[in-house]
Amino acid sequence: MKSKLQRIGVLTSGGDSPGMNAAIRAVVRSCAYHNLECIGIFRGYEGLIEGDFKPLGPRSVKNIINRGGTFLKSARSKEFRTEEGRAKAYRNLKEADVDALVVIGGDGTFAGAIQFNKEHDFPIVGLPGTIDNDINGTDYTIGYDTALNTVVEAIDKIRDTANSHNRLFLVEVMGRDAGDIALNAGIGAGAEEILIPEEDMGKDRLIASLKRSKKAGKTSSIVVVAEGDQIGKNILGLADYIRNNMDEYEVKVTVLGHIQRGGSPSCYDRVLASRLGVGAIDALMKGERGVMIGLVHNKVISVPFEQTLEGENEIDTELIRVADITST
C-alpha cells in the first residue's frame, strides 16, 4: 500500500438492498472531502475482472440518496471464485492506479474480499449491505430497516382482506438463514404466529396454537414465515398441511419475494449508510484493511472480516418472548 492514498474504488456485490446508493454517495463525497479520487466499479466483482471502471465525483452521485437498488449495478461472479479471476481483478486495479477498495454487500462479498486479501494483500474495507441483517459485528445492516417497513406495510394490507373473510394468511418473507425480518415484522404487524429457521415450532404446535386463537374468538389470522423455516417442505406444503388438519379457516398464501429489496430507503437506512460510508474512508486513511465498518450501540466501529462470518445467526430471545405474549 502506498504511504498516501490517492485513488479508492467502490463496488456493490451480491443482492441489492435499499441504502446502497446512499452508501456509494457517502464514499464518493468523503473521498472528495479528503481530496481523493474515487473510481466506481460496475457490476461488482464481475466488473472488477472486466475493468468496468468509471471516475466518480460529488456530482456523479447527486439525487441518488433516495433511490433503492444500486446505480453501480450488482452481479454474482463465478470467475472471481477462481484464482485466475482474482489475479485478473488485481491487475486491473493496479493498472488503474487504485490504492484501496470499498465493497458493499453481504457475507458472500466479504468472503470474496477475504480470499482476495490473502492472495494479493490489497487494502479492502467492507460495508454491510443486506436486508437480512445476518452479518456479525454490526447491530444493523444497510437495507434491513427499509425491508422491515415494506413487509409491515404489506401485511397491514393483507390483514384488511383477512379480516373481511374467515381466512388464514401465510405470508412468506425473506430470510433463508436468518429470521430477523420475520420476527420483527411479525411483531410489528401483530401476527398470530411467526415461523423462523432459528426456532423449530413444529406442525402440531402450530395447529394447536391456531386452534387456540380460533377458540379465543379470532376470525382471521396472519402467520409470518421466514423462507428458511423448516416446519414444512415449503410454504405451499405447509398451507396444505393446515388445510388437511384444520377446516376452521380458508388458507391463503402470499409470498412477498423481491418487493422486500426494492423501494426508497428509509431515513434510518440513509443515515446508517452515510455514517458507514464516511467511516470506510476514515478507516482506510488510518491504514486499516480487511475490516467491515459496522454500528454497535450507535457507534461506528471496525470489525475484522473473519469475525463477520463467524458462527450462526443468533436471534433475540427476548423478542421471541414478546411475540408469544402479544399474539395471545
Side-chain angles (χ1 to χ4, degrees):
M1 181 177 177
K2 298 178 182 178
S3 59
K4 180 176 171 54
L5 290 174
Q6 296 179 342
R7 184 172 293 177
I8 295 175
V10 58
L11 62 82
T12 51
S13 176
D16 62 291
S17 63
M20 279 186 166
N21 278 326
I24 297 166
R25 174 180 179 271
V27 169
V28 172
R29 293 193 170 177
S30 187
C31 282
Y33 179 83
H34 293 291
N35 295 315
L36 303 172
E37 294 181 60
C38 189
I39 303 297
I41 300 164
F42 289 79
R43 296 177 295 111
Y45 289 136
E46 190 72 8
L48 198 59
I49 291 172
E50 296 179 3
D52 194 358
F53 299 173
K54 179 182 178 180
L56 299 177
R59 303 286 73 78
S60 302
V61 292
K62 66 179 181 180
N63 300 326
I64 69 168
I65 193 171
N66 60 314
R67 287 167 48 190
T70 163
F71 93 98
L72 287 180
K73 309 295 184 183
S74 185
R76 303 188 189 277
S77 176
K78 291 183 179 180
E79 191 175 358
F80 193 78
R81 297 177 184 176
T82 68
E83 188 174 344
E84 295 79 8
R86 292 187 294 270
K88 186 175 180 181
Y90 177 72
R91 288 195 298 271
N92 286 338
L93 287 171
K94 300 306 289 185
E95 289 174 5
D97 291 326
V98 175
D99 302 312
L101 192 60
V102 177
V103 298
I104 307 169
D107 52 3
T109 301
F110 294 166
I114 290 171
Q115 189 61 36
F116 192 73
N117 255 331
K118 287 180 179 178
E119 294 172 354
H120 301 288
D121 192 29
F122 194 83
I124 304 181
V125 167
L127 301 183
T130 170
I131 67 168
D132 290 333
N133 203 44
D134 59 351
I135 302 294
N136 292 324
T138 184
D139 290 341
Y140 300 104
T141 58
I142 297 167
Y144 173 62
D145 183 72
T146 305
L148 278 183
N149 288 317
T150 298
V151 171
V152 169
E153 181 180 358
I155 295 175
D156 286 347
K157 293 177 179 179
I158 291 170
R159 188 177 289 281
D160 288 343
T161 293
N163 287 337
S164 299
H165 305 270
N166 189 29
R167 287 178 178 171
L168 164 66
F169 271 88
L170 302 181
V171 183
E172 183 182 272
V173 302
M174 284 185 168
R176 184 180 66 252
D177 301 311
D180 293 75
I181 291 177
L183 182 56
N184 283 273
I187 293 173
E192 278 66 37
E193 288 295 343
I194 304 167
L195 308 182
I196 57 177
E198 295 89 347
E199 293 282 322
D200 185 8
M201 182 178 192
K203 294 179 181 178
D204 293 340
R205 182 182 159 201
L206 173 62
I207 295 296
S209 175
L210 292 173
K211 288 188 174 182
R212 283 196 302 272
S213 294
K214 186 67 175 177
K215 189 175 181 179
K218 293 187 177 181
T219 58
S220 64
S221 286
I222 300 288
V223 177
V224 177
V225 185
E227 61 182 339
D229 180 72
Q230 299 301 311
I231 195 171
K233 185 175 181 181
N234 54 49
I235 194 170
L236 297 178
L238 177 60
D240 287 337
Y241 182 84
I242 295 173
R243 292 187 187 105
N244 293 333
N245 289 273
M246 187 177 182
D247 57 10
E248 289 91 340
Y249 289 120
E250 179 184 358
V251 183
K252 297 291 184 180
V253 172
T254 298
V255 178
L256 295 184
H258 284 76
I259 69 166
Q260 297 161 85
R261 282 189 180 174
S264 181
S266 65
C267 178
Y268 184 87
D269 273 328
R270 298 182 199 192
V271 174
L272 175 65
S274 299
R275 293 179 69 184
L276 300 187
V278 169
I281 302 306
D282 288 344
L284 285 171
M285 293 185 67
K286 294 175 184 175
E288 295 185 48
R289 58 168 67 191
V291 300
M292 177 196 75
I293 307 302
L295 191 77
V296 174
H297 302 312
N298 205 32
K299 299 293 183 183
V300 175
I301 65 166
S302 298
V303 183
F305 274 141
E306 288 80 5
Q307 185 176 326
T308 68
L309 305 181
E310 289 178 353
E312 298 180 354
N313 184 61
E314 293 186 6
I315 207 71
D316 190 334
T317 55
E318 188 263 340
L319 283 179
I320 294 176
R321 180 172 180 269
V322 168
D324 289 341
I325 292 172
T326 57
S327 64
T328 55

